[in-house]
Amino acid sequence: NAGVMQNPRHLVRRRGQEARLRCSPMKGHSHVYWYRQLPEEGLKFMVYLQKENIIDESGMPKERFSAEFPKEGPSILRIQQVVRGDSAAYFCASSPPIPPTGVAYEQYFGPGTRLTVT
Amino acid sequence: GNSVTQMEGPVTLSEEAFLTINCTYTATGYPSLFWYVQYPGEGLQLLLKATKADDKGSNKGFEATYRKETTSFHLEKGSVQVSDSAVYFCALRASSASKIIFGSGTRLSIRP
């Protein structure tokens, strides 16, 4: 069973360009989470998605950032008009559907995409 | 709001030394607590977890006990190895939420 896949692993963009980061969850997982890790810091939650639905985007910057998880295909984190401050590692995690009661399932993390804005 | 505070690094130890990395948390309700490990150039791996007070999580010789009275979840290992060199993150998930809140990480280096 393949783990969470992210691509590309490394992405270089010039200021003003767009960055698209992809995440394929583990088989059977329908929930995806995106986190950002700035240099020498911990991970910060950005957004939580189910298929075709954004559940919690409380950690997303208000502008330039968007995320989707379509019915078919990977989840995409899109950053428009990148700036140097967007340089970070972006991690995706997936989990099975959360049961109606009880503790949520574990999140399994991908290897991350390291974005460098020049 | 919910938060995690962990011991600042870097921490450098000799092989076979005893390890403690302190972690305290602030949360309402009864969160689940985690330790994740990140090896150089890799993503995060779940090291251990505890879901209720007095639970002890353990894995690969590492242990941490969920202490509600002191709101702590300190990571310990009796005898570290060079292969334990990595960044360790303490984290919590509030009982009613899905997102995980991470501490800032502690870089551990083990000398042969």
Side-chain angles (χ1 to χ4, degrees), chain A residues 9-80:
Chain A
R9 294 291 306 275
H10 299 275
L11 181 62
V12 180
R13 285 286 178 266
R14 290 200 183 100
R15 278 180 298 171
Q17 292 185 319
E18 178 179 287
R20 281 184 180 240
L21 288 61
R22 294 174 185 76
C23 169
S24 297
M26 288 179 69
K27 188 175 181 181
H29 288 191
S30 57
H31 292 217
V32 164
Y33 311 79
W34 286 94
Y35 295 83
R36 177 166 64 175
Q37 183 181 30
L38 294 170
E40 303 302 318
E41 292 188 15
L43 280 71
K44 297 285 195 292
F45 169 78
M46 299 181 76
V47 63
Y48 162 36
L49 309 106
Q50 295 176 20
K51 290 275 186 183
E52 299 184 286
N53 216 3
I54 296 175
I55 305 302
D56 180 357
E57 56 181 349
S58 59
M60 285 282 267
K62 295 286 183 267
E63 297 176 347
R64 303 188 296 107
F65 284 72
S66 62
E68 62 176 7
F69 189 15
K71 189 176 179 182
E72 302 290 337
S75 174
I76 307 285
L77 179 67
R78 182 179 175 209
I79 311 172
Q80 295 179 288

Side-chain angles (χ1 to χ4, degrees), chain B:
Chain B
N2 299 330
S3 66
V4 175
T5 302
Q6 66 181 100
M7 180 175 168
E8 284 194 23
V11 173
T12 303
L13 296 172
S14 297
E15 204 166 18
E16 299 183 1
F18 183 86
L19 168 71
T20 300
I21 301 178
N22 290 337
C23 171
T24 57
Y25 67 90
T26 301
T28 53
Y30 299 90
S32 295
L33 302 175
F34 308 88
W35 276 99
Y36 283 85
V37 58
Q38 184 178 30
Y39 297 103
E42 297 185 14
L44 271 72
Q45 300 175 26
L46 179 64
L47 180 60
L48 54 83
K49 68 177 182 181
T51 57
K52 61 183 188 296
D54 300 324
D55 266 3
K56 178 186 280 188
S58 60
N59 185 25
K60 299 181 182 179
F62 290 90
E63 292 183 342
T65 301
Y66 189 144
R67 301 278 187 211
K68 189 144 181 74
E69 64 275 13
T70 54
T71 61
S72 65
F73 193 54
H74 304 320
L75 183 68
E76 296 182 336
K77 187 174 185 182
S79 176
V80 293
Q81 307 300 314
V82 172
S83 57
D84 294 327
S85 298
V87 180
Y88 291 80
F89 292 95
C90 186
L92 71 80
R93 185 176 59 212
S95 55
S96 60
S98 297
K99 63 186 178 186
I100 295 176
I101 296 170
F102 289 87
S104 56
T106 302
R107 184 176 299 278
L108 174 66
S109 296
I110 307 300
R111 293 187 299 252

